Amino acid sequence: MPGSKSWKLAWPVAVWVGLLTVPVPGGLQPHQWQYFAVFAAAIVAMVVTPLPGGAIALIAVSFIAAMGYVEADATASVRWALSGFADPAVWLTFGAFLFALGYRSSGLGRRIALSLVRRLGRRTLGLGYAIALADLALAPGMPSNTARSGGAIFPVVREIPPLYGSLPGPTARRIGAYLMWTAFASTAVTSSMFITALVPNAAALALAGRVTGLEIGWWRFLAGFAPAGILLLVLVPLVTYWIYPPQVRESPETVAWATAELHSMGPVSRREWTMLALVGLAIVLWVTGSNPRVSVPGLGSNFVHPTTVVLIVISLMLVLRVVTWDSVLAEREAWSMLLYFTMVLTLADGLNRIGFIAWFARIAVAPLAGTDPMVVMFALVGLFFWSHYLFASITAHAVAVLPVVLAIGQEIPGLPGAPLALLCIYGLGLMGVISPYATGCAPIYAGSGFIGRARFWLLGLVFGLLYFTVLIGVTGPWVLATMPSK
């Protein structure tokens, strides 16, 4: 309703005006506090208003540049406002969105999902694993879990329950509720496995690099989460089967349906084979290009940046006609993400550049003096993870909370900064499971009608506790043992 939207728009304005009326805290200059007021209002706007996140971030950055809060000189100020476009993480994620276009337009994504259902779908538990593996197969090249799970997995999964008379309502528990929750919970895990599986992963790495100097490639990112990710992908269908069991335990009809759908698709097309080869090429180059142990004759090690890989593969997709330039231009979500990601990174960078984050960290760290650094590290990870209940956007959460958490960590003597950053970043995908609004695809599954509202919240809490326990108990020791501790 129009009135409701107007009321929501009033919240960020109220936050901005309210903060400006507060006396400037000791240790800060007026321009630093004024910047923070705009930043806080922008974050609130991203959470509560219907305006697109990119538009909100653009408005905030433009206002800050005009007011000279970061750079007093007008030319330097506009250079700061546009600096995010030079960040490789922006173009890495933009390119991965175009990978999703290739999956979709070639039909490869749907064929992968249907093939796994046909091979593993005879039993309901096997069908749960087929759904999880389908998401895993698509995750390296689809950075939006909304596109991956909501756009590629959900349409296939949604066709299965009616085969068993399972519809939203009284018959949902026959098989539909189990499949829906398994699909949703699985995408939260795969979103943390690859840099390119979730938009905020690259953004958070860029933020962490600016605060802690952390640099990590595609391969090392995967290696850091693989033990926990594999364990969780094994557990998700099984735990769901135990605590939210389907009434139907056998599902031969699903195999027949998937077989018929694949038959209607016909043989694998040239575009599908080409897309598969290009994805394989990208993964090989990501692995070799980001692994210092791999040396290519004439090029040495680290011979290609992950973002360069994306640009190369997109160029080949165009040359080989997997996608057309018109379809690239029409990919509104990718272009919208490009502006959103760029402006959000710039907004967060400015908060750090003007010294606000360092000031806040010095205040927040004072009560922690004398506490064991490892205890503080895991407490900060917990704060970062569970505070996501307050956010409807993982990107907004990362931008607002991650720099603060990392800055506090840097002020604690003996606390390893890189492991802290990685544990927080690995938690980004996992935290998407905790609520019906925690990530982009959550409303799709929550609104499917198969899982009741109260049940969705309860399952979110249970799986959130499971994911957080594995993050701390498995990824924590593994990262501390294998990753740099600077």
Side-chain angles (χ1 to χ4, degrees):
M1 296 177 62
S4 175
K5 291 183 178 180
S6 298
W7 179 252
K8 290 180 179 179
L9 290 172
W11 275 105
V13 176
V15 169
W16 176 56
V17 173
L19 287 173
L20 289 180
T21 60
V22 174
V24 178
L28 286 181
Q29 298 297 318
H31 74 281
Q32 294 172 306
W33 186 246
Q34 291 160 356
Y35 186 110
F36 174 69
V38 177
F39 178 86
I43 296 299
V44 171
M46 290 181 190
V47 173
V48 304
T49 71
L51 289 175
I56 294 168
L58 176 62
I59 293 167
V61 169
S62 300
F63 182 80
I64 290 168
M67 298 301 293
Y69 290 156
V70 177
E71 300 285 352
D73 178 75
T75 301
S77 185
V78 74
R79 284 176 179 165
W80 164 79
L82 299 175
S83 62
F85 285 102
D87 196 310
V90 171
W91 295 98
L92 174 66
T93 306
F94 173 75
F97 264 89
L98 298 187
F99 278 25
L101 171 64
Y103 272 108
R104 190 171 63 251
S105 62
S106 68
L108 179 62
R110 179 172 173 79
R111 187 179 294 276
I112 289 173
L114 289 171
S115 296
L116 285 168
V117 168
R118 183 180 64 177
R119 292 183 178 276
L120 299 175
R122 187 164 296 280
R123 295 183 181 275
T124 302
L125 182 59
L127 189 55
Y129 281 105
I131 292 169
L133 289 174
D135 199 296
L136 178 65
L138 298 176
M142 297 185 78
S144 166
N145 61 24
T146 307
R148 181 174 72 251
S149 188
I153 302 297
F154 177 80
V156 175
V157 174
R158 183 62 180 80
E159 296 296 323
I160 298 173
L163 299 175
Y164 300 89
S166 181
L167 300 171
T171 59
R173 289 294 301 274
R174 286 181 59 79
I175 194 173
Y178 169 78
L179 298 180
M180 292 296 169
W181 184 260
T182 300
F184 173 61
S186 297
T187 205
V189 178
T190 61
S191 293
S192 286
M193 291 197 73
F194 311 97
I195 294 177
T196 48
L198 188 71
V199 171
N201 289 345
L205 283 171
L207 291 174
R210 293 173 181 180
V211 176
T212 69
L214 172 67
E215 293 185 6
I216 185 170
W218 191 90
W219 172 250
R220 292 196 73 193
F221 186 91
L222 170 60
F225 189 73
I230 294 170
L231 174 62
L232 287 174
L233 283 177
V234 171
L235 288 178
V236 165
L238 189 59
V239 171
T240 307
Y241 197 79
W242 287 340
I243 68 174
Y244 199 45
Q247 296 168 355
V248 175
R249 304 301 178 96
E250 304 280 340
S251 52
E253 291 89 344
T254 304
V255 176
W257 169 78
T259 301
E261 290 292 308
L262 285 168
H263 184 266
S264 67
M265 290 183 71
V268 180
S269 67
R270 181 197 65 82
R271 293 175 70 201
E272 290 177 83
W273 281 120
T274 304
M275 185 64 199
L276 184 62
L278 292 177
V279 171
L281 173 64
I283 292 175
V284 169
L285 291 177
W286 278 330
V287 170
T288 57
S290 61
N291 189 347
R293 297 180 181 178
V294 177
S295 179
V296 177
L299 294 174
S301 61
N302 294 319
F303 69 96
V304 60
H305 192 280
T307 303
T308 306
V309 173
V310 169
L311 298 177
I312 291 171
V313 173
I314 291 171
S315 300
L316 291 173
M317 286 167 61
L318 289 165
V319 170
L320 298 174
R321 298 183 180 179
V322 175
V323 298
T324 66
W325 184 243
D326 285 342
S327 65
V328 170
L329 293 178
E331 193 68 5
R332 293 180 57 186
E333 186 178 4
W335 293 105
S336 177
M337 183 285 310
L338 178 67
L339 180 62
Y340 174 49
F341 195 171
T342 299
M343 292 295 104
V344 163
L345 277 181
T346 304
L347 195 60
D349 173 65
L351 199 64
N352 187 50
R353 187 178 298 194
I354 64 174
F356 182 90
I357 295 294
W359 168 82
F360 183 84
R362 286 193 296 270
I363 293 176
V365 78
L368 301 175
T371 306
D372 183 274
M374 292 296 102
V375 173
V376 176
M377 184 182 76
F378 289 123
L380 288 174
V381 175
L383 171 66
F384 183 76
F385 188 95
W386 294 107
S387 63
H388 190 57
Y389 273 118
L390 303 176
F391 290 86
S393 164
I394 293 179
T395 303
H397 180 186
V399 169
V401 184
L402 183 62
V404 177
V405 167
L406 297 183
I408 293 173
Q410 286 195 311
E411 295 293 325
I412 304 293
L415 191 150
L420 170 63
L422 284 172
L423 285 172
C424 289
I425 294 168
Y426 287 139
L428 288 173
L430 299 178
M431 66 178 62
V433 80
I434 66 176
S435 77
Y437 55 80
T439 191
C441 64
I444 297 173
Y445 289 97
S448 69
F450 284 93
I451 305 172
R453 183 179 303 173
R455 180 71 63 175
F456 203 101
W457 280 98
L458 179 59
L459 288 170
L461 175 61
V462 171
F463 276 76
L465 289 169
L466 171 64
Y467 290 2
F468 182 72
T469 300
V470 172
L471 177 67
I472 296 299
V474 177
T475 306
W478 176 251
V479 166
L480 286 168
T482 60
M483 296 293 173
S485 60
K486 64 182 180 181

